[in-house]
Amino acid sequence: MANPVRASLLVTCLVDLFYPEVGVAMVRLLRRLGVSVDFPSNQTCCGLPLFNSGYHQEAARVARRTVRLFAHSEHVVVPSGSCAWMVKKEYPGLLKDDPALGAQAEGLGSRTYELSQFIVKVLGAPDIATDFRGRVTYHDSCHLLRGLGESQSPRQLLRRLPGVELVELPGADQCCGFGGSFSVRLPDVSAAILKKKLENAEATGADCLVACDAGCLMQMSGGLSRKGSRVRAVHLAQVLAGSDSR
Amino acid sequence: MSVGELKVPFVERAHRALNDRFLQEALNTATTRFMTLRHEAFQAFPQGEALRERAREIKEATLQKLDFYLEQLADNVERLGGHVHWAATGDEARGIILRLAQERGVKLVVKSKSMATEEIELNEALEHAGITPVETDLGEYIIQLAREKPSHIIAPAIHKTKGQVAELFSRELKRPLAADPEVLTKVARGELREKFLQADMGITGANFAVADTGTVVLITNEGNGRLVTTLPRIHVALMGMEKVIPSMTDLMVFLSILPRSATGQKISSYVTLVRGPRRPGEMDGPEEFHLIVMDNGRSSQLAGTLREALYCLRCGACLNVCPVYRQIGGHAYGYTYSGPIGILLTAMLHGNHAVRDLAHASSLCGACQEACPVKIDIPRMLIELREHLDRERIAPLAERLIFKSFARVLTTPALYRVLGRLGRLLQRPFVKDGRLGALPVFLRGWTDHRDLPPVAERSFRERWRELER
């Protein structure tokens, strides 16, 4: 391709440390879709855990270095609705005291996309060939749904896969109970919320519970594995990349 | 909830609530029903969205000129022959009501449901002064019999199953009663009818107070509000100062969204408009009408972090959709107002120390803001409250140190990489079948209920080297 779309990965700390296979899936998938992918290797975490717990000066320091790190990226793609929300919606406010940096943050925000939104809105929802097969159901991550107002892109992508049947999850828009440090501060409340989510997922008869956020995945797969469920929690990138993701 | 119970930490109160089988059954049924009803009501009401925006604008515009509207309201109430009292604190509000009652020889008070009177613990104060308060809203009647506090803004007895209510009624009223809501309601009605006739004073809250007409508006479903405001010789209405709205036109906007948000009704069974005491020639109504306008921490937030919480209509929609409230119910929060909005109101009324733990009783999922008829940005204010907890050094020192060190790690990539590798080493004794099933210290709570994935053998950044072509 003459002028490939270029995208930098903001892979997120959870994917980097716990779910590298999601990052690998994303790279292979994007490359198959003709995207030129790079990975600024000094990235750490977007700072969302600091921000949500009220440590805003600290979050601003993380934001400052992330904004600089991605200053020259054409697009930034994030496999997580919450981290994309952080960059798009919170960075500009955190850095507003420095007008130049604030403006840079605004710019970064407008070039940053959650993965499904990137594929649909920037790449124009191309056909995706995957060898993934099965019945899946989709969980709306709170920040992607209510923070970025996105419920359709992931569903649209899943529906168009030939070997995949998408069944709606009752209460799909209800929180899984993760909430970052919430799940550590109030673990039993978090687990009680999760219980209903998993019961609903199992009732759909789906093989896979798909989400677009590694936080929700950590929570939901942790619960599924503990109860010995046959349902697996997977990231959208893994479904779209198929066996390419290992 | 007694002061004693508040000595139990929030985490423990929440834990107890999770293990209360009756509470779980009652909560799940009721909140799910409320959620569904609200959802259906707005689906069938396409104008709803625009009206919510309009309502939000009205609230903001009113707060901008709150002093003006409150004075206008007071002038109009007085012009109609009513009396207006200003209470800077809850103590003052209680004092005014007690003095009114004592000076007029009041022995029995009937009340319609009012969170404002709960906020100032009026019933306890009345009882202490030898005056008997009788709650006449069915839910409030139930919890008064049980000597409890409301656990929901509009459904005070939401934490009780019908079986528990039947047991309570049978015990307190000394006759066996079936767990049939219709039977129990009839019994309560019979008990209350006499009280209405005997009472010297009726006390209500105010859902709205219309400035340019001096009208106090009550939104109820049982008809008790009408009896409370018309039968006794004195009517006292207690309102939070933010309840004033400019005009009857504005009222129509709120009337179209409040019942839908609260109970899914197009309009409540009764909308009672009270304008002053009985006038010459009128058949009914009280001889005296008193309106108490209460501040109690509200005005200090007009320019504060919690300003938007002053938009609140007290519909309870945010409680019904909150995953945390749905699991633990209202009592676990420990204060008059529970749920997401309750955390903000608790900070407003009792200060930031009161919400040290409560401010974190939210996964920040945003369902509250979505359900709120005036779209109050509750998650944002919770985050801002948390920031205050750090800045004012209310958050525990250990927590503050952990987050500050965490920030250092995230701004030092080399340190982040080293810690990632360290995690990989330290986790070894705990990895079983490719997962972490039982971890010590602060992660124990997590693994008590679910597995944690281990830190991957090779991080993404390590794998990137081979992905790079």
Side-chain angles (χ1 to χ4, degrees), chain A residues 17 41 44 90 146 188 225, chain B residues 15 365 380 410 451 456 461:
Chain A
L17 293 171
S41 66
T44 56
E90 297 303 336
R146 284 179 279 267
D188 50 0
S225 112
Chain B
H15 181 74
C365 77
R380 168 149 312 272
L410 298 186
D451 296 330
R461 74 192 56 231

Side-chain angles (χ1 to χ4, degrees), chain A residues 139 142 171 174-179 182-183 186-200 219-220, chain B residues 18 24 321-328 333 360-365 449-450:
Chain A
H139 160 73
C142 296
Q174 289 172 30
C175 179
C176 69
F178 178 63
F182 170 78
S183 64
L186 292 168
D188 50 0
V189 180
S190 163
I193 299 169
L194 172 65
K195 189 164 171 270
K196 288 190 186 160
K197 176 64 64 180
L198 299 186
E199 283 166 6
N200 285 340
Q219 167 87 340
M220 297 190 302
Chain B
L18 289 173
Q24 291 299 319
V321 300
C322 174
V324 176
Y325 179 91
R326 285 165 62 79
Q327 295 303 325
I328 66 172
Y333 289 77
H360 294 281
S362 165
S363 67
L364 303 176
C365 77
H449 303 279
R450 48 222 185 282

Side-chain angles (χ1 to χ4, degrees), chain B residues 249-268:
Chain B
T249 317
D250 297 322
L251 178 64
M252 293 307 118
V253 175
F254 291 107
L255 284 184
S256 69
I257 55 172
L258 173 56
R260 283 184 168 89
S261 301
T263 51
Q265 290 167 290
K266 293 191 184 84
I267 192 150
S268 57

Side-chain angles (χ1 to χ4, degrees), chain B residues 73-277:
Chain B
L73 172 70
D75 288 348
N76 282 321
V77 169
E78 281 167 356
R79 196 170 45 79
L80 292 162
H83 304 273
V84 179
H85 311 260
W86 304 92
T89 62
D91 269 346
E92 278 187 34
R94 253 190 331 259
I96 293 166
I97 297 173
L98 281 180
R99 187 172 44 77
L100 286 174
Q102 284 166 334
E103 283 173 5
R104 286 157 182 76
V106 170
K107 294 272 174 280
L108 180 68
V109 166
V110 282
K111 290 179 66 200
S112 78
K113 210 190 96 49
S114 150
M115 288 307 288
T117 64
E118 293 289 346
E119 176 184 321
I120 63 169
E121 300 188 326
L122 181 61
N123 287 357
E124 289 81 348
L126 288 170
E127 278 168 13
H128 194 73
I131 300 162
T132 309
V134 177
E135 294 288 353
T136 66
D137 169 86
L138 182 57
E140 286 282 349
Y141 179 71
I142 293 169
I143 59 165
Q144 190 179 27
L145 277 186
R147 291 169 194 83
E148 291 175 4
K149 292 283 189 185
S151 70
H152 187 287
I153 293 176
I154 65 153
I158 197 173
H159 56 286
K160 288 203 179 304
T161 61
K162 61 186 177 192
Q164 287 178 309
V165 175
E167 257 173 54
L168 172 72
F169 275 29
S170 304
R171 191 175 66 233
E172 293 293 321
L173 306 174
K174 299 181 178 61
R175 55 193 140 129
L177 293 164
D180 175 348
E182 209 167 312
V183 171
L184 297 169
T185 307
K186 271 195 184 133
V187 169
R189 180 182 289 174
E191 293 286 323
L192 288 170
R193 198 47 56 119
E194 274 307 299
K195 308 287 184 193
F196 284 121
L197 293 169
Q198 292 163 8
D200 317 287
M201 180 183 271
I203 299 181
T204 68
N207 289 97
F208 303 96
V210 182
D212 73 351
T213 56
T215 312
V216 166
V217 184
L218 298 172
I219 297 182
T220 63
N221 269 319
E222 297 169 15
N224 61 319
R226 293 267 164 97
L227 296 175
V228 169
T229 54
T230 50
L231 285 177
R233 59 191 161 89
I234 309 156
H235 172 201
V236 176
L238 173 67
M239 63 177 272
M241 66 194 300
E242 81 285 15
K243 293 284 171 188
V244 68
I245 56 172
S247 71
M248 294 299 280
T249 317
D250 297 322
L251 178 64
M252 293 307 118
V253 175
F254 291 107
L255 284 184
S256 69
I257 55 172
L258 173 56
R260 283 184 168 89
S261 301
T263 51
Q265 290 167 290
K266 293 191 184 84
I267 192 150
S268 57
S269 308
Y270 299 88
V271 176
T272 303
L273 308 178
V274 179
R275 295 186 74 215

Side-chain angles (χ1 to χ4, degrees), chain A residues 123-145:
Chain A
L123 302 182
D127 282 332
I128 293 171
T130 172
D131 57 0
F132 188 97
R133 295 286 175 272
R135 173 188 277 204
V136 303
T137 191
Y138 175 74
H139 160 73
D140 287 283
S141 302
C142 296
H143 280 96
L144 182 57
L145 176 67

